[in-house]
Amino acid sequence: MIEVKNVSYSYNGRKAIENVSFSVKKEFVAIMGPNGSGKSTLIKLVMGLLKPDEGEIKIFGEDAEKTRNFIGYMPQKETIAKHFPIKVADIILMGVTNKKFYTKEDIKKAKEILEKVELSHTWNKKFNSLSQGQQQRVLFARALAKEPKIIILDEPFSAVDLPSREKMISLLNERKKDGIEILIVVHNINPVLHDIDKVLLLNKRAIAYGSPKEILNHENLMETYGSFVQIVTCEEGYCHPLIGDEHV
Ligand SMILES: Nc1ncnc2c1ncn2[C@@H]1O[C@H](COP(=O)(O)OP(=O)(O)OP(=O)(O)O)[C@@H](O)[C@H]1O
Ligand SMILES: [Mg+2]
């Protein structure tokens, strides 16, 4: 359960998030908005990595900074230094346990999750030697590794190929069945449009929050993106906005 109430946040006096409220209860939610609209900032606030200037955030009724441990998080930009020779195995193990010494069981778990993103062969490789898409899949695997109660992913698909993206989405849907909260930032909503329960349209403010069928319309997208957004309506009645899409 994630509850965000009237939250505002500024960097050096410039508002990045303005009076945003929404809640997520056993749902799969996507956040959409243009570059610089505060998506990553909002995610960092939910993670307790930033503290709201105004308003409050509760995760299962607790302050966000106390609950980070049971959230599987994938940042937009990995802060692992470029030349730091960390191995893929160590990155996944960081997700499995907080302890410095790993048990056989930890290693087994880590190998299993790496297998799920079809990157078993990279176990002993240096993280920085992988392609950008492979790095994203490793970070995705790390986020899922500790069987988190909440999954928060900031643009998890931006560099991955289509089959890998489909695989990642099916892994998320598996977790969703366990009744956990999933919050993801996406530029292109279409690959997950039929999987998500709700969309948050963000441009500093929450422009709209609700089911994709309810809120993905010209008016809301215009307000979010500041320009006309083309929409393709499919048979099931979903509106597919053509933003960040391969077709644009
Ligand atoms: N560490 C920082 N210091 C100062 N300003 C920042 C910082 N991080 C973000 N900002 C500013 O806050 C605003 C929101 O940034 P944020 O990264 O949350 O946007 P975003 O929606 O995630 O964008 P993108 O789609 O490019 O990832 C931007 O104007 C950005 O320049
Ligand atoms: Mg961002």
Side-chain angles (χ1 to χ4, degrees):
M1 175 82 169
I2 303 170
E3 287 171 287
V4 175
K5 274 191 219 147
N6 306 110
V7 166
S8 295
Y9 186 83
S10 300
Y11 293 104
N12 314 315
R14 277 192 62 212
K15 274 234 159 83
I17 290 292
E18 204 173 324
N19 198 24
V20 168
S21 299
F22 70 103
S23 64
V24 184
K25 198 174 181 184
K26 298 188 175 183
E27 289 160 314
F28 188 171
V29 172
I31 302 176
M32 262 180 101
N35 291 136
S37 59
K39 303 180 297 295
S40 296
T41 304
L42 184 58
I43 292 278
K44 286 177 195 162
L45 286 159
V46 173
M47 284 299 298
L49 299 169
L50 299 172
K51 243 181 126 65
D53 297 333
E54 288 162 53
E56 66 168 22
I57 299 179
K58 296 281 179 194
I59 313 286
F60 297 115
E62 297 262 11
D63 288 337
E65 60 262 39
K66 286 190 198 152
T67 55
R68 214 176 296 155
N69 248 340
F70 54 73
I71 300 181
Y73 171 55
M74 173 178 170
Q76 182 175 8
K77 272 190 240 136
E78 185 41 61
T79 44
I80 293 167
K82 255 202 160 143
H83 303 290
F84 188 63
I86 188 162
K87 282 186 179 175
V88 169
D90 296 316
I91 295 202
I92 305 285
L93 281 160
M94 278 196 290
V96 172
T97 175
N98 293 330
K99 295 185 210 90
K100 281 199 179 123
F101 302 101
Y102 310 129
T103 62
K104 271 190 187 158
E105 191 56 31
D106 293 336
I107 291 171
K108 189 169 164 259
K109 257 193 185 169
K111 286 190 168 166
E112 275 167 14
I113 190 78
L114 194 61
E115 163 106 58
K116 287 199 173 167
V117 293
E118 292 161 349
L119 287 175
S120 295
H121 62 285
T122 67
W123 176 258
N124 267 316
K125 289 202 173 153
K126 304 265 189 324
F127 179 72
N128 290 318
S129 73
L130 302 189
S131 74
Q132 227 194 322
Q134 288 173 327
Q135 289 189 4
Q136 270 191 332
R137 284 153 62 195
V138 169
L139 297 174
F140 175 84
R142 179 180 69 175
L144 266 62
K146 63 178 159 192
E147 289 161 22
K149 294 202 176 92
I150 296 178
I151 296 172
I152 298 183
L153 312 170
D154 196 346
E155 296 201 24
F157 314 125
S158 57
V160 300
D161 59 34
L162 210 128
S164 304
R165 186 177 76 196
E166 291 305 311
K167 179 83 206 174
M168 288 158 87
I169 293 169
S170 86
L171 287 169
L172 288 176
N173 279 326
E174 257 175 44
R175 292 297 165 97
K176 192 185 137 180
K177 283 194 212 121
D178 302 334
I180 70 170
E181 284 81 7
I182 304 174
L183 192 57
I184 65 170
V185 171
V186 285
H187 267 292
N188 178 9
I189 195 138
N190 295 323
V192 289
L193 194 62
H194 293 242
D195 304 296
I196 52 175
D197 300 300
K198 286 182 182 158
V199 188
L200 173 67
L201 290 176
L202 187 73
N203 196 339
K204 290 189 193 175
R205 295 180 300 110
I207 308 293
Y209 184 50
S211 77
K213 279 189 183 174
E214 267 166 24
I215 68 153
L216 291 179
N217 54 45
H218 283 301
E219 198 188 341
N220 283 337
L221 290 165
M222 179 95 175
E223 199 177 343
T224 308
Y225 288 91
S227 61
F228 182 77
V229 174
Q230 216 179 333
I231 287 174
V232 175
T233 307
C234 72
E235 285 158 15
E236 293 93 338
Y238 282 96
C239 288
H240 289 261
L242 300 183
I243 302 159
D245 198 301
E246 291 90 14
H247 305 296
V248 174

